[in-house]
Amino acid sequence: MDRPNYITPAGYAVLRREYEQLFGTERPALVETIAWAAGNGDRSENGDYIYGRKRLREIDRRLGWLSRRMKAARIVDPAAQTDRTRIWFGAEVTIADEDDEERVLTLIGDDETDAGEGRVGWNSPFARALRGAGVGDLRRVTLPVGEREYEVIAIAYPNPSASSVSQV
């Protein structure tokens, strides 16, 4: 990976839970099912065996991916941000476009994005354009529909006293 994998504590906890669930629960149960199905004889027409092996490969692939992402993760708590006047990792940003339509975006790790909820990955075009901006700054963003200009209306960060696990 050429870029750090920034992630919030809550986002890291989600990755960790998924890893533990797959490795500690699903995979062992599946291995048991595959062993039982293999003992039933002809494996070429044994649906439990064929599906089980396929699902086991999917789980192993996902476990490898999760392991690599967690190993490369740099956990950053947005509540600990000292410069709250600029847009950095974890900021909740209110922006307005040229038509004065407002949007609220939260800049978080790429592994915890959800565009429908306004959670935008740190390396997305929006986040890259907004990094370091302050209230009142204009930023031009290149989107698939063309270039748009946005004004930063407000910047907020979670309170330092808030539990970082409840943030997402």
Side-chain angles (χ1 to χ4, degrees):
M1 292 184 179
D2 54 343
R3 293 184 280 216
N5 178 27
Y6 294 116
I7 192 166
T8 63
Y12 187 83
V14 168
L15 291 181
R16 185 82 194 154
R17 270 195 306 274
E18 181 182 358
Y19 183 88
E20 289 170 355
Q21 208 287 337
L22 287 172
F23 189 75
T25 306
E26 281 190 49
R27 192 176 193 288
L30 194 55
V31 168
E32 189 177 308
T33 302
I34 291 170
W36 168 82
N40 287 338
D42 186 13
R43 296 177 186 173
S44 65
E45 295 182 14
N46 187 330
D48 287 330
Y49 180 80
I50 293 169
Y51 171 76
R53 295 287 299 184
K54 180 180 181 281
R55 179 70 182 130
L56 186 62
R57 284 191 301 273
E58 292 169 357
I59 288 174
D60 287 343
R61 223 177 351 264
R62 183 69 179 170
L63 285 170
W65 183 85
L66 287 167
S67 177
R68 286 188 303 278
R69 294 305 286 177
M70 288 187 304
K71 186 175 183 177
R74 281 204 185 148
I75 301 171
V76 177
D77 188 354
Q81 179 58 255
T82 55
D83 181 5
R84 293 171 172 257
T85 62
R86 299 265 171 218
I87 299 172
W88 304 116
F89 184 84
E92 183 177 284
V93 184
T94 304
I95 57 174
D97 65 11
E98 297 141 343
D99 301 324
D100 285 332
E101 290 184 33
E102 290 188 7
R103 293 175 72 167
V104 177
L105 304 174
T106 304
L107 279 55
I108 56 175
D110 293 331
D111 294 330
E112 47 189 334
T113 62
D114 183 351
E117 296 291 321
R119 296 191 324 239
V120 179
W122 180 243
N123 292 308
S124 70
F126 257 120
R128 285 194 311 268
L130 293 173
R131 287 182 198 169
V135 173
D137 288 354
L138 295 175
R139 294 296 170 107
R140 195 163 282 288
V141 181
T142 303
L143 301 170
V145 295
E147 264 193 12
R148 301 286 310 247
E149 190 169 71
Y150 292 90
E151 180 181 0
V152 178
I153 305 297
I155 302 169
Y157 288 91
N159 293 329
S161 61
S163 170
S164 61
V165 177
S166 65
Q167 303 167 18
V168 175

